Coordinates of all heavy atoms in Angstrom, one line a residue:
I1 N -86.6 -61.7 178.6 CA -87.8 -62.4 178.3 C -89.1 -61.5 178.7 O -90.0 -61.6 177.8 CB -87.8 -63.7 179.3 CG1 -86.7 -64.6 178.8 CG2 -89.3 -64.4 179.2 CD1 -86.4 -65.8 179.7
V2 N -89.0 -60.9 179.8 CA -90.1 -59.8 180.0 C -90.3 -58.8 179.0 O -91.5 -58.6 178.5 CB -89.9 -59.1 181.4 CG1 -90.8 -58.1 181.6 CG2 -89.9 -60.2 182.5
A3 N -89.2 -58.3 178.5 CA -89.3 -57.3 177.3 C -90.0 -57.8 176.1 O -90.9 -57.3 175.5 CB -88.0 -56.8 177.0
A4 N -89.6 -59.1 175.8 CA -90.2 -59.7 174.6 C -91.5 -60.1 174.8 O -92.5 -60.0 173.9 CB -89.3 -61.1 174.4
M5 N -92.0 -60.5 176.0 CA -93.4 -60.8 176.3 C -94.2 -59.5 176.2 O -95.3 -59.5 175.7 CB -93.5 -61.4 177.7 CG -92.8 -62.7 177.9 SD -93.8 -64.0 177.2 CE -95.2 -64.1 178.2
L6 N -93.7 -58.4 176.7 CA -94.4 -57.2 176.7 C -94.7 -56.6 175.3 O -95.7 -56.0 175.0 CB -93.8 -56.1 177.5 CG -93.7 -56.2 179.0 CD1 -92.8 -55.2 179.7 CD2 -95.1 -56.1 179.5
E7 N -93.6 -57.0 174.4 CA -93.8 -56.5 173.0 C -94.8 -57.4 172.3 O -95.5 -56.9 171.5 CB -92.4 -56.7 172.4 CG -92.4 -56.1 170.9 CD -90.9 -56.3 170.4 OE1 -90.0 -55.7 171.0 OE2 -90.7 -56.8 169.2
K8 N -94.9 -58.7 172.7 CA -95.7 -59.6 171.9 C -97.1 -59.6 172.4 O -98.1 -59.7 171.7 CB -95.3 -61.1 172.0 CG -96.0 -62.1 171.3 CD -95.4 -63.4 171.2 CE -96.1 -64.5 170.5 NZ -96.3 -64.3 169.1
Y9 N -97.4 -59.5 173.7 CA -98.7 -59.6 174.3 C -99.1 -58.2 174.9 O -98.2 -57.5 175.4 CB -98.7 -60.6 175.4 CG -98.4 -62.1 174.8 CD1 -97.0 -62.6 175.1 CD2 -99.3 -62.7 174.2 CE1 -96.8 -63.8 174.5 CE2 -99.0 -64.0 173.8 CZ -97.7 -64.6 173.9 OH -97.4 -65.9 173.5
D10 N -100.4 -57.9 174.9 CA -101.0 -56.9 175.6 C -101.3 -57.2 177.1 O -102.4 -57.5 177.4 CB -102.3 -56.3 174.8 CG -102.8 -55.1 175.4 OD1 -102.1 -54.3 176.0 OD2 -104.1 -54.9 175.2
I11 N -100.3 -57.0 177.9 CA -100.5 -57.3 179.3 C -99.5 -56.4 180.1 O -98.5 -55.9 179.6 CB -100.1 -58.8 179.5 CG1 -100.5 -59.4 180.9 CG2 -98.7 -59.1 179.1 CD1 -100.4 -60.8 181.0
D12 N -99.8 -56.3 181.4 CA -99.1 -55.4 182.2 C -97.7 -56.0 182.7 O -97.8 -57.2 182.8 CB -99.8 -54.8 183.4 CG -100.2 -56.0 184.4 OD1 -101.2 -56.8 184.1 OD2 -99.6 -56.1 185.4
E13 N -96.8 -55.2 183.0 CA -95.4 -55.6 183.3 C -95.4 -56.4 184.6 O -94.7 -57.5 184.7 CB -94.5 -54.5 183.4 CG -93.0 -55.0 183.6 CD -92.0 -53.9 183.6 OE1 -92.4 -52.7 183.1 OE2 -90.9 -54.1 184.0
K14 N -96.2 -56.1 185.6 CA -96.2 -56.8 186.9 C -96.7 -58.3 186.6 O -96.1 -59.2 187.2 CB -97.1 -56.1 187.8 CG -97.1 -56.8 189.2 CD -98.0 -56.0 190.2 CE -98.0 -56.8 191.5 NZ -98.9 -56.2 192.5
T15 N -97.7 -58.5 185.9 CA -98.3 -59.8 185.6 C -97.1 -60.6 184.8 O -96.9 -61.7 185.1 CB -99.5 -59.8 184.7 OG1 -100.5 -59.0 185.6 CG2 -100.0 -61.1 184.5
V16 N -96.6 -60.0 183.8 CA -95.5 -60.7 183.0 C -94.4 -61.1 183.9 O -94.0 -62.2 183.8 CB -95.1 -59.8 181.8 CG1 -93.8 -60.4 181.2 CG2 -96.1 -59.6 180.8
R17 N -93.9 -60.2 184.7 CA -92.7 -60.5 185.6 C -93.1 -61.7 186.6 O -92.2 -62.5 186.7 CB -92.3 -59.4 186.4 CG -91.5 -58.4 185.6 CD -90.7 -57.4 186.5 NE -90.0 -56.5 185.5 CZ -88.9 -56.8 185.0 NH1 -88.3 -58.0 185.1 NH2 -88.3 -56.0 184.1
T18 N -94.2 -61.7 187.1 CA -94.7 -62.8 187.9 C -94.7 -64.1 187.2 O -94.2 -65.1 187.6 CB -96.0 -62.4 188.6 OG1 -96.0 -61.2 189.4 CG2 -96.5 -63.6 189.5
D19 N -95.3 -64.0 186.1 CA -95.5 -65.3 185.3 C -94.1 -65.8 184.8 O -93.9 -67.0 184.8 CB -96.4 -65.1 184.0 CG -97.9 -64.9 184.6 OD1 -98.2 -65.1 185.7 OD2 -98.7 -64.5 183.7
V20 N -93.2 -64.9 184.3 CA -91.9 -65.4 183.8 C -91.1 -65.9 185.0 O -90.6 -67.0 184.8 CB -91.2 -64.1 183.2 CG1 -89.8 -64.5 182.9 CG2 -91.9 -63.8 181.8
K21 N -91.2 -65.3 186.1 CA -90.4 -65.7 187.2 C -90.8 -67.1 187.7 O -90.1 -68.0 188.0 CB -90.5 -64.7 188.4 CG -89.7 -65.1 189.6 CD -89.9 -64.0 190.7 CE -88.9 -64.0 191.8 NZ -87.6 -63.6 191.3
E22 N -92.2 -67.3 187.6 CA -92.8 -68.6 188.0 C -92.3 -69.7 187.0 O -91.9 -70.8 187.5 CB -94.3 -68.6 188.1 CG -95.0 -69.8 188.5 CD -96.6 -69.7 188.6 OE1 -97.0 -68.6 189.1 OE2 -97.2 -70.4 187.9
L23 N -92.4 -69.4 185.8 CA -92.0 -70.5 184.8 C -90.5 -70.8 185.0 O -90.2 -72.0 184.9 CB -92.3 -70.0 183.4 CG -92.0 -71.0 182.3 CD1 -92.5 -72.4 182.5 CD2 -92.2 -70.5 180.9
L24 N -89.7 -69.8 185.1 CA -88.2 -69.9 185.2 C -87.9 -70.8 186.4 O -87.0 -71.6 186.4 CB -87.5 -68.6 185.2 CG -87.5 -67.9 183.8 CD1 -86.9 -66.5 184.0 CD2 -87.0 -68.7 182.7
E25 N -88.6 -70.5 187.6 CA -88.4 -71.3 188.8 C -88.7 -72.7 188.4 O -88.1 -73.7 189.0 CB -89.1 -70.7 189.9 CG -88.6 -69.5 190.5 CD -89.4 -68.8 191.5 OE1 -90.4 -69.4 191.9 OE2 -89.0 -67.8 192.0
L26 N -89.8 -73.0 187.8 CA -90.2 -74.4 187.4 C -89.1 -75.1 186.6 O -88.8 -76.2 186.8 CB -91.5 -74.4 186.7 CG -92.0 -75.8 186.3 CD1 -92.2 -76.7 187.5 CD2 -93.2 -75.6 185.4

């Protein structure tokens, strides 16, 4: 999921990992 997000959006990996982890926990 992180890899797909990094490919689609112009954002740093640390932010993506944090956001993905938060959504998955929810």
Side-chain angles (χ1 to χ4, degrees):
I1 295 169
V2 168
M5 295 286 292
L6 289 172
E7 187 174 311
K8 183 170 177 71
Y9 299 102
D10 182 26
I11 192 166
D12 66 282
E13 185 174 348
K14 182 179 179 184
T15 300
V16 169
R17 284 199 179 278
T18 300
D19 291 349
V20 167
K21 185 177 194 78
E22 183 179 309
L23 179 60
L24 293 177
E25 287 174 2
L26 176 65

